[in-house]
């Protein structure tokens, strides 16, 4: 079974530029997450999708970050314009939908995209 | 609100020694707790999870963790460290929206 795919793996940009990250979840996983992991810290959830709907985007800086999952499969996270403090690893994860009979399902993480903003 | 605190940003053990990584949580509701491992330049991999069943949870690679409500702790242990255990370990709490600790980097000396 293929894992969560992310691209690019590395990106270096200047501040005020735009950047986009792509994620393809595990086939059949309806729930998709984007996390930001700043060096020396644990991942922080930015946005959670279920199919093509947003479940939680309370920690997404909406003035500069946007994310979409138009067809309920792959997803794109965009930063426009980037700031120095956006330098981080952006992790995508996916899981099956939690139900009362399955309980809490495991989140599977991709390898991440390391963003450096100069 | 939920949170986790990992005590010790860096732990070093000798190969064959006991591994103990500490995690304390705060939660106003019965928590779901997790331990993840992250190898360099890779994503996170689930080691084990506690979801209100048995308080002693066994995971992959010989790791286990014990949920202690009275101490609000969920420490990760392994009886005998192996060189391949060297990685960063994250404790997390939550359901869907996971709240992660800052991580503990484990070094294993030969």
């Amino acid at each position: 079974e293929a894992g969560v795919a992310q691209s690019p793996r590395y990106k270096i940009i200047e501040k005020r530029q735009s950047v986009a990250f792509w994620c393809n979840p595990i086939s059949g996983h309806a729930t998709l997450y984007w996390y930001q992991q700043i060096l020396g810290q644990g991942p922080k959830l930015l946005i959670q999708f279920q199919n093509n709907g947003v479940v939680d985007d309370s920690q997404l800086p909406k003035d500069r970050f946007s994310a979409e999952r138009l067809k309920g499969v792959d997803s794109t996270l965009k930063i426009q314009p980037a700031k120095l403090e956006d330098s981080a690893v952006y992790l995508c994860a996916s899981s099956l939908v939690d139900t009362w009979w399955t309980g809490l399902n495991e989140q599977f993480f991709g390898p991440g995209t390391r963003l450096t903003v100069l | 609100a939920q949170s986790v605190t990992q005590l010790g940003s860096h732990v070093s053990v000798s190969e064959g020694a006991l591994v103990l990584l500490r995690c304390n949580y705060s939660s106003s509701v019965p928590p779901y707790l997790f331990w993840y491992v992250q190898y360099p330049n890779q994503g996170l991999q689930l080691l084990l999870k506690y979801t209100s069943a048995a308080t002693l949870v066994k995971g992959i690679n010989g790791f286990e963790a014990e949920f202690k409500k009275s101490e609000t702790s969920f420490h990760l242990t392994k009886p005998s460290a192996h060189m391949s255990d060297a990685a960063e370990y994250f404790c997390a709490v939550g359901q869907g929206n996971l709240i992660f600790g800052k991580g503990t980097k484990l070094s294993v000396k030969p």
Side-chain angles (χ1 to χ4, degrees):
Chain A
E1 175 182 273
V4 176
Q6 290 189 248
S7 67
R9 290 295 312 276
Y10 305 91
K11 189 74 176 179
I12 300 174
I13 62 173
E14 306 259 335
K15 60 182 179 183
R16 290 187 291 272
Q17 286 187 321
S18 301
V19 65
F21 314 126
W22 176 80
C23 171
N24 194 28
I26 292 173
S27 178
H29 281 194
T31 307
L32 185 147
Y33 310 83
W34 282 103
Y35 289 88
Q36 179 192 58
Q37 185 178 17
I38 294 173
L39 187 64
Q41 298 183 22
K44 182 185 81 171
L45 180 72
L46 292 175
I47 189 167
Q48 177 186 350
F49 291 95
Q50 184 165 312
N51 296 309
N52 61 352
V54 176
V55 174
D56 183 356
D57 64 356
S58 57
Q59 298 190 91
L60 186 73
K62 298 180 185 64
D63 57 333
R64 298 183 300 107
F65 285 65
S66 64
E68 59 184 16
R69 195 184 183 201
L70 293 176
K71 295 182 179 180
V73 180
D74 58 344
S75 175
T76 302
L77 176 69
K78 297 180 181 177
I79 308 175
Q80 180 179 10
K83 292 186 175 181
L84 296 177
E85 58 261 35
D86 298 332
S87 293
V89 175
Y90 290 84
L91 294 166
C92 180
S94 71
S95 71
L96 294 167
V97 175
D98 297 334
T99 63
W100 66 268
W101 63 90
T102 63
L104 186 64
N105 288 292
E106 176 181 352
Q107 292 185 29
F108 292 85
F109 284 79
T113 296
R114 183 177 297 276
L115 173 67
T116 301
V117 182
L118 303 176
Chain B
Q2 296 180 313
S3 66
V4 292
T5 302
Q6 291 185 242
L7 301 175
S9 59
H10 193 189
V11 170
S12 182
V13 301
S14 297
E15 193 172 21
L18 171 72
V19 175
L20 171 60
L21 304 182
R22 300 177 187 272
C23 172
N24 288 89
Y25 70 90
S26 173
S27 178
S28 56
V29 297
Y32 292 104
L33 293 160
F34 308 81
W35 275 100
Y36 282 85
V37 61
Q38 187 176 34
Y39 298 99
N41 298 316
Q42 294 186 28
L44 282 74
Q45 180 184 9
L46 182 66
L47 280 177
L48 49 82
K49 65 181 180 183
Y50 167 77
T51 55
S52 76
T55 57
L56 182 62
V57 182
K58 294 187 183 298
I60 61 172
N61 302 338
F63 284 93
E64 63 181 37
E66 186 172 8
F67 173 72
K68 292 187 176 180
K69 184 178 179 180
S70 60
E71 299 177 8
T72 61
S73 69
F74 190 59
H75 301 331
L76 182 71
T77 60
K78 182 174 181 177
S80 177
H82 192 272
M83 296 295 290
S84 61
D85 295 326
E88 190 148 23
Y89 292 79
F90 292 92
C91 182
V93 64
Q95 188 174 1
N97 179 3
L98 295 179
I99 310 298
F100 286 86
K102 292 187 175 183
T104 298
K105 187 172 183 179
L106 176 66
S107 300
V108 182
K109 297 175 290 187

